[in-house]
Amino acid sequence: MNKPPLTLFLAAPRGFCAGVDRAIKIVEMALEKWGAPVYVRHEIVHNKYVVDNLRDKGAVFVEELDECPDDRPVIFSAHGVPKSVPAEAARRELLFVDATCPLVSKVHIEAERHYANGLQMVKIGHAGHPETLGTMGQLPEGAVILVETLEDVASIDPRNPDKLAFITQTTLSVDDTADIVEALTSRFPNIVGPHKEDICYATTNRQQAVKAVARDIDALLVIGAPNSSNSKRLVEVGRAAGCGYAQLVQRATDIDWRALRGARSVGLTAGASAPEVLIDEVIDAFRQRFEVTVEIVETAVESVEFKVPRALREPA
Ligand code: SF4
């Protein structure tokens, strides 16, 4: 039977960012250096495929430090942790490695600097996300006001409207955040912001590539986990850019083929924690059903790399 033709527009950049790449390397190198098991507090990155793979190699994923024994190394995830976590690890004299992405650590430092200068912090981010918990946990309880929406901006009640600074989560929608920042600066004209926004290069580039792809396609698939903030934002950005059908899928088995019946052009991208092997799997699944032509839509070239911590570069 003849397969119908279909063009897959592959967004570039997509998939792994430098922070995710580094965090996975940290777990792999820790396993090599210290042997299994190595404990990891929270999913090292939000991707089941990555987590399952590392689990097979001997990583044990836990949610809290009190689930880790005293005699095994523990790694903190790429999203960052509240200050209380390394403090407790040090108190217990645990061997720990912090895989917090350096771009998240940069936001932590900003928050501390503003706080030390007497400014009250406003954080634009999602409640409950580990990055939000980690960033808010750099400062004493209650020191940071969390803002998620434009409505929140209208209702917050800071101590002194002239002594405010804001920071953002690294994985937000660039456009939605710009609206919130505008609302903040119009309500609090003296609020201090980052020199360059906190949304990271990888989030920005992946959203830009999706915008370039989304306009002229029948459907957009974003490979990523349901708890991956940057992946969910890619779906929203695709919809906002005019793509009527944009879906998050973890793997090829999640694709709703009935919804794609009649499609002739599909955009494909992956969140920053989704490995390229899952893109290949999805392309193969399309090839089984369609006569596929792949076109790359590249809007940026990335060359960012982060070093792993010294403890892992030194011999055992
Ligand atoms: S998405 Fe950005 S902030 Fe998050 S790990 Fe990747 S590079 Fe770091």
Side-chain angles (χ1 to χ4, degrees):
M1 200 181 77
N2 279 346
K3 296 180 204 168
L6 179 134
T7 305
L8 273 181
F9 291 95
L10 211 48
R14 65 179 173 278
F16 276 8
C17 60
V20 162
D21 199 48
R22 172 179 179 267
I24 295 168
K25 257 191 220 147
I26 287 175
V27 180
E28 289 174 341
M29 289 173 80
L31 283 163
E32 254 171 55
K33 183 164 177 169
W34 293 305
V38 162
Y39 284 72
V40 184
R41 187 187 174 278
H42 196 70
E43 288 187 339
I44 185 76
V45 301
H46 284 156
N47 188 274
K48 183 175 169 359
Y49 180 90
V50 170
V51 167
D52 286 348
N53 242 310
L54 292 171
R55 193 180 282 122
D56 288 347
K57 292 179 184 169
V60 177
F61 291 89
V62 296
E63 278 311 307
E64 291 303 337
L65 212 53
D66 57 17
E67 298 166 64
C68 304
D70 288 338
D71 59 349
R72 295 306 306 161
V74 55
I75 294 167
F76 306 146
S77 84
H79 312 95
V81 287
K83 259 197 178 357
S84 55
V85 173
E88 172 63 7
R91 190 196 64 77
R92 284 177 56 193
E93 298 183 358
L94 298 181
L95 174 58
F96 65 91
V97 183
D98 190 353
T100 302
C101 175
L103 299 180
V104 174
S105 300
K106 183 184 108 270
V107 182
H108 291 180
I109 293 165
E110 268 170 47
E112 286 187 290
R113 186 169 46 86
H114 289 312
Y115 182 73
N117 288 336
L119 302 180
Q120 191 174 9
M121 293 307 307
V122 175
K123 153 133 186 168
I124 307 172
H126 297 295
H129 188 277
E131 185 184 325
T132 297
L133 299 174
T135 304
M136 292 179 75
Q138 300 308 302
L139 300 182
E141 181 116 28
V144 184
I145 306 173
L146 182 66
V147 157
E148 293 189 81
T149 61
L150 288 170
E151 291 72 41
D152 291 344
V153 175
S155 65
I156 59 172
D157 184 20
R159 263 192 325 265
N160 179 345
D162 291 324
K163 286 199 152 270
L164 280 176
F166 74 88
I167 47 172
T168 80
Q169 197 171 321
T170 57
T171 52
L172 300 177
S173 150
V174 172
D175 296 335
D176 293 351
T177 307
D179 291 345
I180 294 181
V181 170
E182 198 184 308
L184 270 176
T185 46
S186 103
R187 189 168 167 213
F188 307 108
N190 293 327
I191 193 167
V192 178
H195 294 303
K196 198 177 161 296
E197 61 175 33
D198 299 318
I199 298 174
C200 77
Y201 80 97
T203 300
T204 309
N205 288 348
R206 278 150 195 68
Q207 289 179 15
Q208 233 164 32
V210 160
K211 280 188 199 168
V213 163
R215 267 184 292 272
D216 305 315
I217 50 175
D218 299 320
L220 171 73
L221 297 183
V222 177
I223 300 174
N227 57 347
S228 160
S229 169
N230 79 86
S231 304
K232 289 193 286 189
R233 301 296 82 77
L234 290 175
V235 173
E236 292 166 5
V237 168
R239 286 184 190 144
C243 181
Y245 181 87
Q247 286 297 318
L248 188 67
V249 293
Q250 300 212 60
R251 302 195 63 147
T253 44
D254 292 344
I255 298 171
D256 179 357
W257 295 105
R258 272 180 315 180
L260 296 179
R261 204 177 287 150
R264 291 293 168 265
S265 56
V266 172
L268 198 53
T269 187
S273 40
E276 191 64 12
V277 62
L278 297 181
I279 283 269
D280 294 341
E281 178 185 281
V282 166
I283 295 175
D284 284 347
F286 271 96
R287 286 197 201 282
Q288 284 167 22
R289 294 163 176 85
F290 297 91
E291 199 51 54
V292 171
T293 307
V294 175
E295 280 194 29
I296 313 265
V297 181
E298 185 172 78
T299 52
V301 177
E302 293 177 346
S303 57
V304 179
E305 268 182 59
F306 297 128
K307 275 190 188 160
V308 298
R310 188 191 298 261
L312 290 168
R313 285 183 271 136
E314 287 165 351

